[in-house]
Amino acid sequence: MNASLVPVPTVLLGPATTGIGSPRAELCPEGNHWRVVWTDPTGARVQAVAPLAAGSWTPPVPVPEAEAVLVASAEAGTDGFLASARHQGNHIALRSGRRVPGVQPLFPGAGLVVCRAGAAGWTDLAFADDPPDGEIFSAAVSVVADDVLAVYLVSDGRGGAMCRALRFSLATVRPVASHWRDLPDFPLQPGVAAVMAGVNGGALIAAGGANFPDLPPWEGGVKKTYDEIFALPAGATAWQPAGRLSEPRAYAAMVSVPEGVLAIGGENAAGFFQDVVWLNWDGRQVTTKPGPALPEPVASPVAAVLGRKVYLAGGYAPGPPRVSTTSFLCLDLANTSAGW
């Protein structure tokens, strides 16, 4: 039975140093609080305490001298795991999901992933809701009933380290809802990323997108962007070709509204897009027409609809270097001639 993958917010406990002892995750003697012990940049062992399931962590304080040596509650990691702890005959383990250039990535892209490891392999359960590019130096995990505490030392990006903590309940893992169902495989192989998708006229529309058709990126593959449009009408058992875009495009923001599917911005190998495209299913093919252009080109923004207004936020401005924007725009669907 598959489990849903839970994003878990993490807490910064304090600055840390590496190479002088690993962090520890353990239960306090009274049995209702977690304790984390790590080494700060001065070389002193410090600790922070928090309730098992929820509640704030205390600021770091020196470890009492009488408790300078603590019994570890987690085992050293094996089989590629950073750390592991026993739980109901199996192991709860931590692994890194860090994306490293030149190395095949694992899903999900996250600094730290909590998984259940057993004789038949491992299953991802949760991941740290942190940027996925921080190097993890060391980690520890402890499990009490269904409560999991993971602590780890991660690069701060400036040559130092931070101690972070993640609390997670195994009771939050739920089977994937039974109402999910598979749709027909997409025609482009091995699949596409950043496809422009939406629903109009009872059909699922998928246009453009990008992939690495020959070699994966970590083996030097070259990205290709597509202009094909496909449609999956209601009840259909296969995707059907439904037209082409004016040029290849991917990484646009998408919203589905009664007027059609709106593709906003995007990019291809030649550059970024400033224009906006309407996609509509007429029962046989997808028609395209221009919408209100953006004030400036943008790729990978996010869009949402509230009432009769489309809101567009963020994204990347043309580079290099690739820089995130701070723009926040609105389009009134009742008055599109006014523009963004």
Side-chain angles (χ1 to χ4, degrees):
M1 181 176 293
N2 293 326
S4 56
L5 197 59
V6 181
V8 182
T10 64
V11 175
L12 172 62
L13 299 183
T17 190
T18 60
I20 309 178
S22 298
R24 294 185 185 276
E26 52 201 19
L27 191 65
C28 285
E30 63 271 21
N32 57 4
H33 281 70
W34 289 120
R35 174 167 56 183
V36 175
V37 179
W38 73 99
T39 304
D40 72 10
T42 70
R45 293 290 275 179
V46 293
Q47 68 178 24
V49 175
L52 280 179
S56 299
W57 288 88
T58 63
V61 297
V63 173
E65 188 171 340
E67 300 178 5
V69 178
L70 297 171
V71 177
S73 59
E75 303 171 0
T78 58
D79 298 327
F81 297 121
L82 297 166
S84 63
R86 296 183 186 277
H87 179 258
Q88 297 181 356
N90 288 319
H91 285 78
I92 300 299
L94 308 178
R95 70 171 181 85
S96 173
R98 182 188 181 209
R99 298 298 176 95
V100 180
V103 177
Q104 181 175 358
L106 294 174
F107 177 83
L112 191 75
V113 182
V114 181
C115 51
R116 180 182 285 115
W122 49 265
T123 302
D124 291 337
L125 303 177
F127 63 94
D129 194 7
D130 292 338
D133 53 356
E135 179 182 0
I136 296 179
F137 302 111
S138 57
V141 61
S142 185
V143 185
V144 175
D146 282 336
D147 292 312
V148 178
L149 171 65
V151 297
Y152 55 105
L153 305 186
V154 60
S155 170
D156 63 6
R158 301 182 299 274
M162 302 177 294
C163 182
R164 302 192 71 91
L166 173 157
R167 279 176 291 181
F168 166 67
S169 174
L170 296 171
T172 62
V173 178
R174 294 289 184 267
V176 173
S178 59
H179 63 267
W180 286 94
R181 60 187 177 89
D182 291 332
L183 294 177
D185 289 345
F186 197 65
L188 294 179
Q189 298 299 322
V192 288
V195 68
M196 302 186 299
V199 175
N200 178 251
L204 176 60
I205 298 170
N211 66 13
F212 293 83
D214 301 317
L215 290 172
W218 53 90
E219 294 180 9
V222 177
K223 180 185 289 187
K224 179 179 179 180
T225 307
Y226 296 86
D227 63 0
E228 288 97 329
I229 304 174
F230 298 93
L232 184 67
T237 58
W239 292 85
Q240 64 185 64
R244 289 183 178 270
L245 301 167
S246 60
E247 57 186 306
R249 184 188 302 231
Y251 303 97
M254 305 296 297
V255 292
S256 298
V257 293
E259 291 85 348
V261 179
L262 195 59
I264 309 166
E267 66 175 296
N268 62 20
F272 284 30
F273 289 95
Q274 188 171 350
D275 65 335
V276 171
V277 180
W278 284 106
L279 306 174
N280 292 88
W281 171 247
D282 67 5
R284 294 180 297 108
Q285 65 178 359
V286 173
T287 63
T288 65
K289 64 180 181 180
L294 297 167
E296 56 188 5
V298 66
S300 300
V302 293
V305 178
L306 181 61
R308 293 288 294 155
K309 293 182 178 180
V310 178
Y311 295 91
L312 186 77
Y316 295 113
R322 178 165 291 210
V323 178
S324 298
T325 75
T326 58
S327 63
F328 186 73
L329 305 173
C330 177
L331 177 68
D332 187 347
L333 294 173
N335 185 21
T336 57
S337 61
W340 294 88

Short mmCIF file of all heavy atoms in Angstrom, two decimals, residues 250-301:
data_model
loop_
_atom_site.label_atom_id
_atom_site.label_comp_id
_atom_site.label_asym_id
_atom_site.label_seq_id
_atom_site.Cartn_x
_atom_site.Cartn_y
_atom_site.Cartn_z
N ALA A 250 7.76 26.08 -22.71
CA ALA A 250 7.57 25.37 -21.45
C ALA A 250 7.71 26.38 -20.32
O ALA A 250 8.02 27.55 -20.54
CB ALA A 250 8.60 24.25 -21.31
N TYR A 251 7.46 25.93 -19.08
CA TYR A 251 7.66 26.74 -17.88
C TYR A 251 6.79 28.00 -17.86
O TYR A 251 7.20 29.05 -17.39
CB TYR A 251 9.14 27.12 -17.73
CG TYR A 251 10.06 25.93 -17.67
CD1 TYR A 251 10.72 25.48 -18.81
CD2 TYR A 251 10.23 25.21 -16.49
CE1 TYR A 251 11.54 24.36 -18.78
CE2 TYR A 251 11.05 24.09 -16.45
CZ TYR A 251 11.70 23.68 -17.59
OH TYR A 251 12.51 22.57 -17.56
N ALA A 252 5.56 27.87 -18.36
CA ALA A 252 4.58 28.96 -18.26
C ALA A 252 3.70 28.73 -17.05
O ALA A 252 3.55 27.60 -16.57
CB ALA A 252 3.73 29.03 -19.53
N ALA A 253 3.09 29.79 -16.54
CA ALA A 253 2.05 29.65 -15.52
C ALA A 253 0.74 29.34 -16.22
O ALA A 253 0.48 29.85 -17.32
CB ALA A 253 1.94 30.92 -14.70
N MET A 254 -0.08 28.49 -15.60
CA MET A 254 -1.31 28.04 -16.24
C MET A 254 -2.51 28.22 -15.31
O MET A 254 -2.43 27.91 -14.12
CB MET A 254 -1.21 26.56 -16.62
CG MET A 254 -0.01 26.21 -17.48
SD MET A 254 -0.03 27.00 -19.10
CE MET A 254 -1.50 26.28 -19.81
N VAL A 255 -3.62 28.69 -15.88
CA VAL A 255 -4.90 28.70 -15.16
C VAL A 255 -5.99 28.28 -16.14
O VAL A 255 -5.92 28.56 -17.34
CB VAL A 255 -5.24 30.08 -14.56
CG1 VAL A 255 -4.29 30.44 -13.43
CG2 VAL A 255 -5.23 31.18 -15.63
N SER A 256 -6.99 27.59 -15.62
CA SER A 256 -8.16 27.20 -16.41
C SER A 256 -9.35 28.03 -15.94
O SER A 256 -9.70 27.99 -14.75
CB SER A 256 -8.46 25.71 -16.24
OG SER A 256 -7.39 24.91 -16.71
N VAL A 257 -9.93 28.78 -16.85
CA VAL A 257 -11.09 29.63 -16.57
C VAL A 257 -12.13 29.37 -17.65
O VAL A 257 -11.83 28.71 -18.66
CB VAL A 257 -10.68 31.13 -16.53
CG1 VAL A 257 -9.75 31.40 -15.35
CG2 VAL A 257 -10.00 31.54 -17.83
N PRO A 258 -13.36 29.84 -17.49
CA PRO A 258 -14.38 29.55 -18.50
C PRO A 258 -13.98 29.97 -19.92
O PRO A 258 -14.39 29.33 -20.90
CB PRO A 258 -15.59 30.35 -18.00
CG PRO A 258 -15.41 30.39 -16.52
CD PRO A 258 -13.93 30.51 -16.30
N GLU A 259 -13.19 31.02 -20.05
CA GLU A 259 -12.78 31.48 -21.38
C GLU A 259 -11.78 30.55 -22.06
O GLU A 259 -11.57 30.63 -23.27
CB GLU A 259 -12.17 32.88 -21.29
CG GLU A 259 -13.15 33.97 -20.94
CD GLU A 259 -13.37 34.13 -19.44
OE1 GLU A 259 -12.94 33.24 -18.67
OE2 GLU A 259 -13.96 35.14 -19.04
N GLY A 260 -11.12 29.69 -21.30
CA GLY A 260 -10.12 28.79 -21.87
C GLY A 260 -8.99 28.54 -20.89
O GLY A 260 -9.07 28.88 -19.71
N VAL A 261 -7.92 27.97 -21.41
CA VAL A 261 -6.72 27.74 -20.62
C VAL A 261 -5.73 28.84 -20.96
O VAL A 261 -5.41 29.07 -22.14
CB VAL A 261 -6.11 26.35 -20.92
CG1 VAL A 261 -4.85 26.14 -20.10
CG2 VAL A 261 -7.13 25.26 -20.62
N LEU A 262 -5.24 29.53 -19.95
CA LEU A 262 -4.37 30.68 -20.15
C LEU A 262 -2.93 30.28 -19.82
O LEU A 262 -2.63 29.87 -18.70
CB LEU A 262 -4.82 31.83 -19.24
CG LEU A 262 -4.27 33.22 -19.52
CD1 LEU A 262 -4.62 33.68 -20.92
CD2 LEU A 262 -4.80 34.22 -18.48
N ALA A 263 -2.05 30.37 -20.82
CA ALA A 263 -0.62 30.10 -20.65
C ALA A 263 0.11 31.44 -20.57
O ALA A 263 0.05 32.24 -21.52
CB ALA A 263 -0.09 29.27 -21.81
N ILE A 264 0.82 31.66 -19.46
CA ILE A 264 1.38 32.98 -19.17
C ILE A 264 2.90 32.89 -19.11
O ILE A 264 3.47 32.22 -18.26
CB ILE A 264 0.83 33.50 -17.82
CG1 ILE A 264 -0.69 33.40 -17.79
CG2 ILE A 264 1.29 34.93 -17.57
CD1 ILE A 264 -1.29 33.56 -16.41
N GLY A 265 3.58 33.59 -20.03
CA GLY A 265 5.04 33.60 -20.04
C GLY A 265 5.61 32.27 -20.45
O GLY A 265 5.03 31.52 -21.25
N GLY A 266 6.79 31.93 -19.90
CA GLY A 266 7.46 30.67 -20.22
C GLY A 266 8.80 30.92 -20.89
O GLY A 266 9.28 32.06 -20.99
N GLU A 267 9.40 29.82 -21.35
CA GLU A 267 10.71 29.94 -21.99
C GLU A 267 10.96 28.77 -22.92
O GLU A 267 10.28 27.75 -22.87
CB GLU A 267 11.83 30.03 -20.95
CG GLU A 267 12.00 28.77 -20.12
CD GLU A 267 13.20 28.85 -19.18
OE1 GLU A 267 14.34 28.95 -19.69
OE2 GLU A 267 12.98 28.83 -17.95
N ASN A 268 11.97 28.94 -23.78
CA ASN A 268 12.55 27.85 -24.55
C ASN A 268 14.04 28.15 -24.72
O ASN A 268 14.56 29.07 -24.08
CB ASN A 268 11.83 27.64 -25.90
CG ASN A 268 11.92 28.85 -26.81
OD1 ASN A 268 12.79 29.72 -26.64
ND2 ASN A 268 11.02 28.93 -27.78
N ALA A 269 14.72 27.39 -25.57
CA ALA A 269 16.16 27.56 -25.70
C ALA A 269 16.53 28.93 -26.24
O ALA A 269 17.65 29.42 -26.01
CB ALA A 269 16.73 26.47 -26.62
N ALA A 270 15.60 29.60 -26.94
CA ALA A 270 15.89 30.91 -27.53
C ALA A 270 15.70 32.06 -26.56
O ALA A 270 16.19 33.16 -26.79
CB ALA A 270 15.02 31.12 -28.77
N GLY A 271 14.96 31.84 -25.46
CA GLY A 271 14.76 32.92 -24.51
C GLY A 271 13.45 32.83 -23.78
O GLY A 271 12.75 31.80 -23.82
N PHE A 272 13.08 33.92 -23.11
CA PHE A 272 11.87 33.99 -22.29
C PHE A 272 10.73 34.63 -23.08
O PHE A 272 10.95 35.38 -24.03
CB PHE A 272 12.13 34.83 -21.03
CG PHE A 272 12.92 34.12 -19.96
CD1 PHE A 272 13.86 33.16 -20.28
CD2 PHE A 272 12.74 34.44 -18.63
CE1 PHE A 272 14.59 32.51 -19.31
CE2 PHE A 272 13.46 33.80 -17.64
CZ PHE A 272 14.39 32.83 -17.98
N PHE A 273 9.50 34.33 -22.66
CA PHE A 273 8.31 34.85 -23.33
C PHE A 273 7.66 35.96 -22.50
O PHE A 273 7.56 35.86 -21.28
CB PHE A 273 7.29 33.74 -23.57
CG PHE A 273 7.70 32.76 -24.63
CD1 PHE A 273 8.34 31.58 -24.29
CD2 PHE A 273 7.45 33.02 -25.96
CE1 PHE A 273 8.72 30.67 -25.26
CE2 PHE A 273 7.83 32.12 -26.95
CZ PHE A 273 8.46 30.94 -26.59
N GLN A 274 7.20 36.98 -23.22
CA GLN A 274 6.44 38.06 -22.60
C GLN A 274 4.95 37.94 -22.93
O GLN A 274 4.12 38.57 -22.28
CB GLN A 274 6.98 39.42 -23.07
CG GLN A 274 6.39 40.63 -22.36
CD GLN A 274 7.10 41.90 -22.72
OE1 GLN A 274 8.15 41.88 -23.36
NE2 GLN A 274 6.55 43.04 -22.31
N ASP A 275 4.63 37.12 -23.94
CA ASP A 275 3.25 37.05 -24.39
C ASP A 275 2.44 36.05 -23.57
O ASP A 275 2.98 35.29 -22.75
CB ASP A 275 3.19 36.70 -25.87
CG ASP A 275 3.72 35.31 -26.16
OD1 ASP A 275 4.54 34.80 -25.37
OD2 ASP A 275 3.30 34.72 -27.18
N VAL A 276 1.15 36.07 -23.79
CA VAL A 276 0.19 35.20 -23.12
C VAL A 276 -0.65 34.53 -24.21
O VAL A 276 -0.99 35.17 -25.21
CB VAL A 276 -0.70 36.01 -22.17
CG1 VAL A 276 -1.85 35.18 -21.63
CG2 VAL A 276 0.13 36.59 -21.03
N VAL A 277 -0.97 33.24 -24.04
CA VAL A 277 -1.68 32.49 -25.07
C VAL A 277 -2.94 31.85 -24.47
O VAL A 277 -2.88 31.22 -23.39
CB VAL A 277 -0.78 31.39 -25.67
CG1 VAL A 277 -1.55 30.60 -26.73
CG2 VAL A 277 0.48 31.99 -26.26
N TRP A 278 -4.06 32.00 -25.18
CA TRP A 278 -5.28 31.28 -24.84
C TRP A 278 -5.32 29.95 -25.58
O TRP A 278 -5.03 29.90 -26.79
CB TRP A 278 -6.52 32.09 -25.23
CG TRP A 278 -6.86 33.24 -24.35
CD1 TRP A 278 -6.69 34.57 -24.60
CD2 TRP A 278 -7.47 33.16 -23.05
NE1 TRP A 278 -7.15 35.33 -23.56
CE2 TRP A 278 -7.63 34.49 -22.59
CE3 TRP A 278 -7.89 32.11 -22.25
CZ2 TRP A 278 -8.20 34.78 -21.35
CZ3 TRP A 278 -8.46 32.40 -21.01
CH2 TRP A 278 -8.61 33.72 -20.57
N LEU A 279 -5.66 28.87 -24.90
CA LEU A 279 -5.83 27.56 -25.50
C LEU A 279 -7.28 27.13 -25.32
O LEU A 279 -7.81 27.17 -24.20
CB LEU A 279 -4.90 26.52 -24.85
CG LEU A 279 -3.40 26.86 -24.81
CD1 LEU A 279 -2.66 25.81 -24.00
CD2 LEU A 279 -2.83 26.95 -26.21
N ASN A 280 -7.94 26.73 -26.43
CA ASN A 280 -9.34 26.32 -26.36
C ASN A 280 -9.57 25.04 -27.16
O ASN A 280 -9.04 24.88 -28.27
CB ASN A 280 -10.25 27.42 -26.92
CG ASN A 280 -10.27 28.67 -26.06
OD1 ASN A 280 -9.44 29.55 -26.22
ND2 ASN A 280 -11.20 28.73 -25.12
N TRP A 281 -10.36 24.13 -26.61
CA TRP A 281 -10.70 22.87 -27.26
C TRP A 281 -12.04 23.05 -27.98
O TRP A 281 -13.05 23.41 -27.36
CB TRP A 281 -10.82 21.76 -26.22
CG TRP A 281 -11.36 20.47 -26.69
CD1 TRP A 281 -12.55 19.89 -26.34
CD2 TRP A 281 -10.74 19.55 -27.60
NE1 TRP A 281 -12.71 18.69 -26.95
CE2 TRP A 281 -11.61 18.44 -27.75
CE3 TRP A 281 -9.54 19.56 -28.31
CZ2 TRP A 281 -11.33 17.36 -28.56
CZ3 TRP A 281 -9.25 18.47 -29.12
CH2 TRP A 281 -10.13 17.40 -29.25
N ASP A 282 -12.04 22.83 -29.31
CA ASP A 282 -13.27 23.02 -30.08
C ASP A 282 -13.97 21.71 -30.41
O ASP A 282 -14.90 21.67 -31.22
CB ASP A 282 -12.99 23.81 -31.36
CG ASP A 282 -12.13 23.05 -32.37
OD1 ASP A 282 -11.82 21.86 -32.12
OD2 ASP A 282 -11.75 23.64 -33.40
N GLY A 283 -13.54 20.62 -29.77
CA GLY A 283 -14.13 19.32 -30.02
C GLY A 283 -13.31 18.47 -30.97
O GLY A 283 -13.48 17.25 -31.02
N ARG A 284 -12.41 19.11 -31.75
CA ARG A 284 -11.56 18.38 -32.68
C ARG A 284 -10.08 18.71 -32.49
O ARG A 284 -9.22 17.86 -32.66
CB ARG A 284 -11.96 18.69 -34.12
CG ARG A 284 -13.35 18.18 -34.50
CD ARG A 284 -13.70 18.53 -35.94
NE ARG A 284 -13.76 19.98 -36.13
CZ ARG A 284 -12.84 20.69 -36.80
NH1 ARG A 284 -11.80 20.06 -37.33
NH2 ARG A 284 -12.97 21.98 -36.93
N GLN A 285 -9.79 19.96 -32.16
CA GLN A 285 -8.41 20.39 -31.97
C GLN A 285 -8.38 21.55 -30.98
O GLN A 285 -9.43 22.08 -30.58
CB GLN A 285 -7.79 20.80 -33.30
CG GLN A 285 -8.44 22.01 -33.93
CD GLN A 285 -7.75 22.41 -35.23
OE1 GLN A 285 -6.78 21.79 -35.64
NE2 GLN A 285 -8.25 23.46 -35.87
N VAL A 286 -7.15 21.93 -30.62
CA VAL A 286 -6.96 23.05 -29.71
C VAL A 286 -6.59 24.28 -30.54
O VAL A 286 -5.63 24.25 -31.32
CB VAL A 286 -5.85 22.76 -28.67
CG1 VAL A 286 -5.56 24.00 -27.84
CG2 VAL A 286 -6.27 21.60 -27.78
N THR A 287 -7.37 25.33 -30.39
CA THR A 287 -7.06 26.58 -31.06
C THR A 287 -6.28 27.49 -30.12
O THR A 287 -6.39 27.38 -28.89
CB THR A 287 -8.34 27.29 -31.51
OG1 THR A 287 -9.13 27.63 -30.35
CG2 THR A 287 -9.16 26.40 -32.42
N THR A 288 -5.46 28.35 -30.68
CA THR A 288 -4.67 29.29 -29.88
C THR A 288 -4.91 30.71 -30.36
O THR A 288 -5.13 30.95 -31.55
CB THR A 288 -3.16 28.97 -29.97
OG1 THR A 288 -2.72 29.17 -31.32
CG2 THR A 288 -2.88 27.53 -29.55
N LYS A 289 -4.88 31.64 -29.43
CA LYS A 289 -4.96 33.05 -29.78
C LYS A 289 -4.24 33.84 -28.70
O LYS A 289 -4.13 33.40 -27.55
CB LYS A 289 -6.42 33.50 -29.90
CG LYS A 289 -7.21 33.43 -28.61
CD LYS A 289 -8.65 33.91 -28.81
CE LYS A 289 -9.44 33.85 -27.50
NZ LYS A 289 -10.84 34.31 -27.69
N PRO A 290 -3.73 35.04 -29.05
CA PRO A 290 -2.97 35.81 -28.07
C PRO A 290 -3.87 36.43 -27.00
O PRO A 290 -5.02 36.77 -27.25
CB PRO A 290 -2.30 36.89 -28.91
CG PRO A 290 -3.17 37.04 -30.12
CD PRO A 290 -3.72 35.66 -30.38
N GLY A 291 -3.31 36.53 -25.80
CA GLY A 291 -3.96 37.24 -24.71
C GLY A 291 -3.18 38.50 -24.37
O GLY A 291 -2.21 38.84 -25.07
N PRO A 292 -3.54 39.20 -23.31
CA PRO A 292 -2.82 40.43 -22.93
C PRO A 292 -1.37 40.14 -22.57
O PRO A 292 -1.10 39.29 -21.72
CB PRO A 292 -3.61 40.94 -21.72
CG PRO A 292 -4.94 40.27 -21.80
CD PRO A 292 -4.68 38.93 -22.41
N ALA A 293 -0.44 40.81 -23.23
CA ALA A 293 0.98 40.58 -22.97
C ALA A 293 1.37 41.07 -21.58
O ALA A 293 0.76 41.99 -21.02
CB ALA A 293 1.82 41.28 -24.03
N LEU A 294 2.43 40.47 -21.05
CA LEU A 294 2.96 40.86 -19.75
C LEU A 294 3.81 42.13 -19.88
O LEU A 294 4.31 42.45 -20.97
CB LEU A 294 3.81 39.73 -19.17
CG LEU A 294 3.09 38.42 -18.88
CD1 LEU A 294 4.10 37.31 -18.63
CD2 LEU A 294 2.17 38.60 -17.67
N PRO A 295 4.02 42.83 -18.79
CA PRO A 295 4.92 44.01 -18.83
C PRO A 295 6.36 43.64 -19.17
O PRO A 295 7.09 44.46 -19.73
CB PRO A 295 4.81 44.58 -17.41
CG PRO A 295 3.55 44.03 -16.85
CD PRO A 295 3.38 42.69 -17.47
N GLU A 296 6.78 42.42 -18.84
CA GLU A 296 8.14 41.99 -19.11
C GLU A 296 8.17 40.47 -19.20
O GLU A 296 7.29 39.79 -18.68
CB GLU A 296 9.09 42.48 -18.02
CG GLU A 296 8.70 42.05 -16.61
CD GLU A 296 9.55 42.70 -15.54
OE1 GLU A 296 10.38 43.55 -15.89
OE2 GLU A 296 9.38 42.34 -14.36
N PRO A 297 9.19 39.90 -19.87
CA PRO A 297 9.26 38.44 -19.98
C PRO A 297 9.47 37.79 -18.62
O PRO A 297 10.14 38.34 -17.74
CB PRO A 297 10.49 38.22 -20.88
CG PRO A 297 10.73 39.53 -21.55
CD PRO A 297 10.27 40.58 -20.59
N VAL A 298 8.94 36.58 -18.48
CA VAL A 298 9.09 35.85 -17.22
C VAL A 298 8.92 34.35 -17.49
O VAL A 298 8.16 33.96 -18.38
CB VAL A 298 8.08 36.34 -16.16
CG1 VAL A 298 6.65 36.01 -16.57
CG2 VAL A 298 8.39 35.77 -14.79
N ALA A 299 9.64 33.54 -16.74
CA ALA A 299 9.50 32.09 -16.82
C ALA A 299 9.28 31.52 -15.43
O ALA A 299 9.77 32.06 -14.44
CB ALA A 299 10.75 31.45 -17.44
N SER A 300 8.52 30.45 -15.36
CA SER A 300 8.23 29.73 -14.11
C SER A 300 7.55 30.60 -13.05
O SER A 300 7.82 30.44 -11.86
CB SER A 300 9.52 29.12 -13.53
OG SER A 300 10.10 28.22 -14.43
N PRO A 301 6.64 31.51 -13.44
CA PRO A 301 5.86 32.19 -12.40
C PRO A 301 4.77 31.26 -11.87
O PRO A 301 4.59 30.15 -12.38
CB PRO A 301 5.26 33.38 -13.14
CG PRO A 301 5.06 32.86 -14.54
CD PRO A 301 6.21 31.90 -14.79
#
